[in-house]
Amino acid sequence: MAATRQLWRLCPRLPLVFSQGYASAAAAETVKAPIKVFGIEGRYAHALFSAAAKQKSLDKVEKELNDFQFALSKDSKLEDFMRNPTLNKTRKDAALRGVLKEKKYSDLTVNLFGALAENNRLTKTQSVIKAYQTIMSAHRGEVPCTVTTAKPLAEKHTKELEKSLQNFTTKGQVLKLDVKVDPSIIGGMVVDFGDKFIDMSTQTKIKKIVQTLKVGMS
């Protein structure tokens, strides 16, 4: 219960609810996340991560959030309920708690939605879930890498690409490769790997050639 109370303390309710000293004491008790996520969604996600870490429920909370995210994508009525600004926040809180407890969600997840409802932040639900997923990905040592090609890669080439990119990770890191197709790049590929962005697309090469020709003709 102490960890769930901490979640409520750390989530941004009304700015002046707690004194500065109390807020500092609560912050000192937090479990530091492996990556910093900014914005309102980041504040909720970091508070949830800290509380879940103390209860050794990081994976359980992530599974529950993923489950709720899937429900949102499939249930338009639920999505409308979350976004409807005319509904009383207290009723929203009560309704959500009832549904989540019926699904046997943990108190941490239930209280997260309670905090979002109380602060009229339910429209931020998807962003908060994504922020928590980002933190958990870093917690597992995953390194996201997105490769975009003009045409689908053969399975053999995808494996070769993944093996090559794995060489750029450090010990303990796990490459999380996502291969996308975008015909507009014409050919080549675009690699977005951690803090690196490499554009080797034919589209960009053509743009550079055109710009060079314009400069030469001016």
Side-chain angles (χ1 to χ4, degrees):
M1 290 302 294
T4 55
R5 286 197 296 272
Q6 182 192 33
L7 173 61
W8 280 87
R9 293 172 187 169
L10 295 177
C11 285
R13 302 171 75 182
L14 297 175
L16 300 179
V17 168
F18 301 120
S19 67
Q20 185 174 355
Y22 188 92
S24 297
E29 300 170 1
T30 63
V31 175
K32 188 176 180 181
I35 190 174
K36 182 69 175 177
V37 181
F38 298 94
I40 293 173
E41 56 271 29
R43 292 167 66 186
Y44 280 96
H46 278 281
L48 181 60
F49 177 86
S50 178
K54 289 194 171 188
Q55 287 196 5
K56 303 185 185 306
S57 300
L58 289 171
D59 294 334
K60 177 176 176 57
V61 168
E62 183 181 30
K63 183 177 182 301
E64 291 170 349
L65 292 181
N66 290 345
D67 179 68
F68 192 83
Q69 186 180 49
F70 179 77
L72 278 176
S73 68
K74 296 296 182 181
D75 192 338
S76 59
K77 289 184 178 179
L78 177 59
E79 177 76 18
D80 291 341
F81 170 81
M82 300 288 285
R83 293 187 174 278
N84 193 334
T86 64
L87 295 177
N88 180 279
K89 65 181 183 181
T90 302
R91 291 184 178 180
K92 273 189 174 183
D93 182 11
L96 274 173
R97 283 178 179 275
V99 171
L100 298 181
K101 286 182 177 180
E102 186 177 326
K103 291 172 69 67
K104 300 188 184 305
Y105 278 20
S106 65
D107 288 342
L108 286 167
T109 302
V110 173
N111 286 346
L112 167 69
F113 285 98
L116 289 171
E118 181 178 338
N119 293 293
N120 290 317
R121 302 288 193 190
L122 285 174
T123 55
K124 291 281 186 180
T125 295
Q126 291 280 23
S127 298
V128 172
I129 293 175
K130 185 175 180 180
Y132 187 82
Q133 290 169 338
T134 298
I135 293 174
M136 285 298 294
S137 179
H139 173 69
R140 288 188 289 267
E142 296 174 350
V143 180
C145 178
T146 302
V147 174
T148 304
T149 58
K151 296 180 180 179
L153 292 176
E155 184 178 352
K156 175 184 176 182
H157 294 150
T158 300
K159 289 182 177 180
E160 290 176 351
L161 176 63
E162 185 172 10
K163 184 177 180 180
S164 297
L165 291 171
Q166 187 70 53
N167 291 326
F168 293 96
T169 61
T170 59
K171 186 178 180 180
Q173 292 183 328
V174 180
L175 182 71
K176 191 174 183 181
L177 181 63
D178 181 20
V179 181
K180 297 183 178 180
V181 176
D182 182 1
S184 69
I185 71 171
I186 304 174
M189 66 175 60
V190 178
V191 182
D192 190 353
F193 186 12
D195 59 352
K196 300 176 180 63
F197 183 80
I198 307 170
D199 190 341
M200 300 178 289
S201 66
T202 303
Q203 179 191 47
T204 297
K205 291 178 181 178
I206 292 173
K207 285 182 179 179
K208 288 180 179 179
I209 293 172
V210 171
Q211 289 172 352
T212 302
L213 288 173
K214 286 181 178 180
V215 172
M217 296 174 65
S218 60

